[in-house]
Amino acid sequence: MTGTKTMHTPFADFAPPLRQPTDLRRAVTAACRREEAHTLAPLIEAARFPGERRDAIRKTATSLVEAIRLRQKSSTRLGSVDALMQEYSLSSLEGVALMCLAEALLRIPDDDTRDALIRDKIGKGQWREHVGGNRPLFVNAATWGLVVAGKLYGGIDGSVDDQGLSRALSRLIGRAGEPVVRRGVDLAMRMMGEQFVTGQTIAKALKRARELEAKGFRYSYDMLGEAAVTAADAERYYRDYENAIRAIGAAGKGKGVYQGPGISIKLSALHPRYARAKAGRTMDELLPRVKALALLSKGYDIGLNIDAEEADRLELSMDLLESLALDPDLAGWNGLGFVVQAYGKRCPQVIDWLIDLAERAQRRIMVRLVKGAYWDAEIKRAQVDGQRDFPVYTRKRHTDVSYIACARKLLGAPRQIYPQFATHNAQTLATVYHLAGPDSYTPDQYEFQCLHGMGEGLYSQVVGKDKLARPCRIYAPVGTHETLLAYLVRRLLENGANSSFVNRIADPKVAVAELVEDPVEAVLDMAEPGARHEGIALPSAIYPDRANSAGLDLADEDTLAALTHGLQATLAQPWFAAAEGVTGTARPVRNPADHCDVVGEVIDTPAAYAPEAMARARASTWGLFAVEERALILEKAAGAMQAQMPRLMGLAMREAGKSAANAIAEVREAIDFLHYYALQARQTFGSAQKPLGPIVCISPWNFPLAIFTGQVSAALVAGNPVLAKPAEETPLIAAEAVRILHEAGVPADALQLLPGDGEIGAALIA
Ligand code: FAD
């Protein structure tokens, strides 16, 4: 490299705060960390009704449920996907197999892998138990296909062929081979997809919408596609939205944002780096794109709604919305829309902030209230990332209560908010209907919303003069099967979950009274109202026999502020690594991402020192320590690493060039190794276990703490003295690990750090 390089202070620009936080924004941040029962307590009060109104709600809900059930019985349409979902619930092996297939089939590009997947998923199910009886034709037909496929793959024995159909089909498919099965299963998946898609193009969707528009329904179109991975994807999705807005605008014929059709967009479709870690790029690159779409929508006077996605993107999306709402170019247009998720602990605080924003921006914001479609993913992500708690509730009835309390908030700010209640649940709908005033409806007061392919039974009771006479907007996905996958999976989860209203109402075994149960009363009847679900382990408790390491939430503004401080504090520390007693010339250790940044210094161990180190290890009495004592020392070291997370992260980021997220994973893996080996030692070492003797551990630079600690702790816990040679690029973080282990109780002669290059490694091995 030539030229001069300006010195850059490490961590100077680490996670700059989002917009200057106001009290309302701080309240949003804080709400995520609150305990479930504590968060829910005020909402229970806000969602509670006196007896008389409760009765009225139950009456409305009951009549809605009965009407849907009646329609289901007489409808020829049930028998399609609804029935299939009912048959293959996610609590059955077969349901999960179908879900896995749907999730993966559409995106596997090569046929061999598709065949392998089908073989794996279909072969194991007991499909035949799902055939015959009173099942609708569609279910039977689909099941026969699966029986046959299962038979072909050896999952079902040859005696199962009562009507002969199975045998005949098997022979046919056996002759035709796997491609036929693949086509069949693929087709079944596409049929499911089509149930949830309004049209492959916006033109087709607009045409198809006319029938229900004539009955009083409105539409919001969603161009399928989300989570862009490349700039080219994002560009394509942007063009799709742009074209759709023009088409919707033309079809809207100036009916306005409330009466006319609109569009729903996903921010993750518009930028491949829409994440908190790239907040700067989000504001510089994504915001102008959203603004351009908003300006276009304003020109046609149609609504543009920003869908809600994963919880870790919430605050970022609030920044974007605030910029749009306050932008003078978008003033005077009431079509800006935002979605809030009632399953999120922050929902009420987000609504308070939205009301304030509308006031400041002097506009009415459209707010869609949903329960939330990413529940499973939120729970799993929090567990995998070792978060303190979940960002969402863990009991469905808590989400139901939150929905009602949030609906009350939205309805209470009619000047600032146009509420849009998106639900397929008759009980929830009936509650909102009574909350808003059953006897009075002013034009443009609020609307309901449902998804295309779901909730028609419910909303045919709502829209229209002789019905409840409230408007409903249908969310209409548009696109081809290539872009359908993520959306389809969320719909299959919603339809297949045995807790969801659409699944339960299709199940005749669930009584009407259960379907119209008041969630507030159900919560109050609990032994501990608002308590977290005992069957969903907190992230710290996912392993039954050992502690999980704790991570840091890099989307939490307070955590980021504290971490920035912690990382900057590590800059003042003189980091140094050398073998005990070895002197000589130190060499600088540089940040691989910025060679001007000297992280610390190391004295490389001369090869000639190896015999002395080995003799010292041989003389160690470490092998005489009891197993329990060694295990306890490892656990103590794990605790120390956990407490020093920012220090160790700082080193991993500067010495090994890790991102913050990778640095957290690095430290957590080291901690997990310590817990794991402590447990293994206790469980597997009897009194007869004998140490092997000195062990040389040579670790690589790419996991400079995790692999280093893993090797060292496995050898140590078995009573072996360790000679640890870290990669020459990353001796400083290894020196910290050794210091922590020494402080935890490992004697100096039982663990010697020997930094250096391949020469000392070779000498030790020799
Ligand atoms: P119900 O059966 O009453 O509720 C099911 C919901 O309860 C689940 O989806 C989940 O949110 C919640 N739940 C289930 N189990 C638990 C549990 N153990 N603990 C806590 N909560 C639980 N979703 C988004 O995330 N973003 C959007 O932008 C979005 N847009 C939508 C637009 C429209 C028009 C509609 C109709 C839906 C939209 N959704 C969106 C999807 C929506 O979140 C689901 O359809 C909705 O959650 C289903 O709720 P329900 O009242 O219809 O059904």
Side-chain angles (χ1 to χ4, degrees):
M1 267 200 289
T2 55
T4 52
K5 218 175 158 208
T6 43
M7 179 67 191
H8 168 88
T9 315
F11 309 129
D13 54 0
F14 178 75
L18 295 179
R19 223 163 239 288
Q20 204 51 39
T22 58
D23 286 351
L24 287 171
R25 275 299 287 267
R26 281 196 202 96
V28 172
T29 303
C32 200
R33 292 189 298 269
R34 224 166 273 144
E35 215 260 312
E36 187 154 340
H38 189 226
T39 310
L40 204 70
L43 306 187
I44 296 175
E45 282 316 305
R48 204 170 182 192
F49 292 92
E52 219 171 277
R53 288 185 78 193
R54 229 173 30 233
D55 292 344
I57 292 168
R58 181 181 295 273
K59 210 167 145 209
T60 305
T62 304
S63 75
L64 289 170
V65 166
E66 284 170 347
I68 301 169
R69 284 248 162 111
L70 196 69
R71 186 180 142 114
Q72 282 179 346
K73 257 192 212 149
S74 58
S75 168
T76 49
R77 280 219 41 230
L78 189 91
S80 61
V81 176
D82 288 350
L84 200 69
M85 291 290 158
Q86 189 61 38
E87 185 65 39
Y88 294 107
S89 95
L90 287 176
S91 45
S92 73
L93 176 71
E94 293 77 25
V96 174
L98 276 187
M99 182 74 188
C100 293
L101 268 183
E103 203 271 326
L105 258 193
L106 298 177
R107 69 170 160 213
I108 295 178
D110 68 292
D111 289 346
D112 287 349
T113 313
R114 285 172 155 237
D115 287 342
L117 179 83
I118 295 170
R119 206 177 306 137
D120 182 48
K121 295 298 167 200
I122 299 286
K124 292 182 191 140
Q126 298 299 316
W127 303 102
R128 205 174 166 276
E129 289 165 12
H130 298 269
V131 84
N134 292 328
R135 292 170 176 89
L137 184 66
F138 181 88
V139 173
N140 265 331
T143 306
W144 271 117
L146 295 161
V147 169
V148 170
K151 186 169 158 58
L152 183 70
Y153 292 131
I156 294 186
D157 75 41
S159 62
V160 183
D161 60 351
D162 39 14
Q163 263 89 59
L165 176 61
S166 166
R167 212 174 3 190
L169 280 174
S170 291
R171 271 202 308 272
L172 174 71
I173 292 171
R175 269 203 309 274
E178 292 187 339
V180 171
V181 178
R182 185 195 329 126
R183 292 284 305 170
V185 176
D186 196 37
L187 201 72
M189 292 302 147
R190 280 169 202 239
M191 276 171 71
M192 280 201 217
E194 272 168 30
Q195 157 94 2
F196 301 111
V197 175
T198 311
Q200 296 214 346
T201 62
I202 185 71
K204 284 188 183 148
L206 284 164
K207 196 167 161 207
R208 191 165 169 197
R210 282 188 211 137
E211 186 188 334
L212 284 176
E213 275 177 335
K215 291 187 180 165
F217 285 87
R218 305 157 178 183
Y219 274 84
S220 182
Y221 296 90
D222 159 48
M223 303 308 291
L224 286 169
E226 59 192 88
V229 175
T230 63
D233 282 348
E235 177 64 24
R236 187 158 47 85
Y237 294 144
Y238 178 83
R239 295 283 158 233
D240 284 349
Y241 284 142
E242 201 182 46
N243 292 336
I245 291 170
R246 291 186 203 284
I248 297 163
K253 300 196 179 95
K255 279 193 222 141
V257 297
Y258 302 123
Q259 310 289 330
I263 187 158
S264 293
I265 64 168
K266 287 199 171 50
L267 295 176
S268 71
L270 288 170
H271 199 286
R273 298 288 179 274
Y274 167 49
R276 176 62 183 91
K278 299 288 175 198
R281 284 187 65 188
T282 300
M283 295 312 276
D284 293 347
E285 297 167 21
L286 174 55
L287 178 60
R289 287 179 208 173
V290 190
K291 180 179 168 181
L293 295 176
L295 274 173
L296 197 61
S297 303
K298 180 188 173 194
Y300 288 106
D301 198 23
I302 64 168
L304 175 132
N305 171 84
I306 298 174
D307 282 0
E309 301 183 69
E310 294 86 350
D312 60 352
R313 288 168 154 159
L314 173 64
E315 293 223 30
L316 201 51
S317 67
M318 290 168 75
D319 264 19
L320 287 161
L321 180 74
E322 182 161 355
S323 297
L324 295 170
L326 298 172
D327 193 319
D329 294 344
L330 296 169
W333 166 62
N334 280 336
L336 193 56
F338 198 68
V339 180
V340 288
Q341 297 160 316
Y343 68 13
K345 290 178 178 169
R346 291 172 285 186
C347 196
Q349 288 76 14
V350 175
I351 294 174
D352 290 339
W353 174 84
L354 280 168
I355 294 170
D356 177 68
L357 176 63
E359 194 66 56
R360 280 188 285 136
Q362 298 199 332
R363 66 194 313 147
R364 196 178 183 210
I365 298 178
M366 304 178 112
V367 178
R368 176 196 300 156
L369 179 63
V370 300
K371 288 182 190 165
Y374 301 79
W375 183 82
D376 311 66
E378 297 296 357
I379 294 287
K380 194 43 73 186
R381 190 183 65 86
Q383 288 178 332
V384 169
D385 288 354
Q387 303 297 359
R388 211 176 321 173
D389 205 333
F390 302 110
V392 296
Y393 296 110
T394 56
R395 291 182 192 270
K396 178 175 180 304
R397 56 176 64 143
H398 292 177
T399 296
D400 292 340
V401 168
S402 163
Y403 193 97
I404 301 306
C406 292
R408 186 189 287 278
K409 242 184 212 296
L410 292 172
L411 287 165
R415 237 179 353 98
Q416 298 89 346
I417 303 291
Y418 175 66
Q420 303 170 303
F421 299 107
T423 179
H424 304 123
N425 183 324
Q427 201 283 332
T428 308
L429 185 150
T431 311
V432 171
Y433 172 76
H434 284 274
L435 192 59
D439 306 320
S440 60
Y441 178 80
T442 47
D444 306 336
Q445 185 189 357
Y446 71 94
E447 69 183 22
F448 287 110
Q449 297 194 340
C450 71
L451 297 174
H452 168 90
M454 293 173 68
E456 282 113 340
L458 176 61
Y459 284 98
S460 63
Q461 307 304 311
V462 174
V463 177
K465 281 209 184 76
D466 49 341
K467 309 289 170 62
L468 292 185
R470 297 293 181 268
C472 173
R473 189 179 299 276
I474 299 172
Y475 182 99
V478 179
T480 55
H481 71 273
E482 288 93 352
T483 46
L484 168 72
L485 190 64
Y487 181 82
L488 175 64
V489 168
R490 287 198 293 277
R491 294 293 74 79
L492 295 186
L493 278 173
E494 185 175 338
N495 282 271
N498 58 10
S499 60
S500 87
F501 184 85
V502 283
N503 188 284
R504 295 172 81 220
I505 198 164
D507 180 357
K509 290 197 287 297
V510 180
V512 174
E514 287 178 54
L515 290 166
V516 302
E517 181 189 62
D518 179 347
V520 174
E521 296 307 308
V523 168
L524 290 172
D525 280 349
M526 287 163 55
E528 253 184 276
R532 206 169 33 77
H533 198 297
E534 66 284 350
I536 300 170
L538 270 182
S540 59
I542 53 171
Y543 302 116
D545 43 13
R546 68 182 158 97
N548 185 17
S549 58
L552 292 175
D553 185 353
L554 292 179
D556 180 277
E557 294 307 309
D558 294 339
T559 303
L560 285 172
L563 180 60
T564 305
H565 186 73
L567 291 175
Q568 284 170 351
T570 65
L571 296 173
Q573 172 117 11
W575 302 104
F576 180 70
E580 204 180 308
V582 168
T583 52
T585 317
R587 77 176 156 87
V589 178
R590 294 178 191 276
N591 180 340
D594 177 2
H595 289 182
C596 296
D597 176 19
V598 175
V599 186
E601 291 189 325
V602 57
I603 300 177
D604 287 331
T605 316
Y609 183 72
E612 189 182 330
M614 193 58 78
R616 205 172 161 220
R618 286 223 169 84
S620 172
T621 55
W622 173 244
L624 301 177
F625 280 52
V627 172
E628 178 57 26
E629 209 173 341
R630 298 191 306 244
L632 280 172
I633 289 174
L634 258 55
E635 284 168 347
K636 198 168 165 203
M641 280 194 188
Q642 188 74 68
Q644 297 177 39
M645 175 74 93
R647 271 167 72 92
L648 295 170
M649 279 179 70
L651 271 177
M653 291 167 79
R654 285 174 69 212
E655 190 185 24
K658 298 233 166 201
S659 66
N662 284 173
I664 293 173
E666 178 76 24
V667 181
R668 290 189 61 211
E669 191 175 337
I671 297 168
D672 286 333
F673 268 131
L674 291 163
H675 282 304
Y676 176 77
Y677 286 128
L679 177 74
Q680 290 296 309
R682 285 197 185 99
Q683 287 180 343
T684 57
F685 292 167
S687 53
Q689 185 263 337
K690 294 271 176 293
L692 296 170
I695 303 274
V696 177
C697 294
I698 301 181
S699 52
W701 56 266
N702 55 345
F703 292 98
L705 181 68
I707 294 185
F708 179 84
T709 305
Q711 293 180 335
V712 166
S713 58
L716 279 176
V717 84
N720 306 297
V722 170
L723 302 127
K725 194 209 90 70
E728 62 192 276
E729 294 86 351
T730 53
L732 302 176
I733 196 164
E736 276 308 288
V738 168
R739 184 186 59 73
I740 286 172
L741 281 157
H742 284 162
E743 280 177 14
V746 179
D749 59 8
L751 173 58
Q752 302 179 62
L753 179 75
L754 302 166
D757 58 16
E759 278 183 32
I760 177 68
L764 287 169
I765 290 166

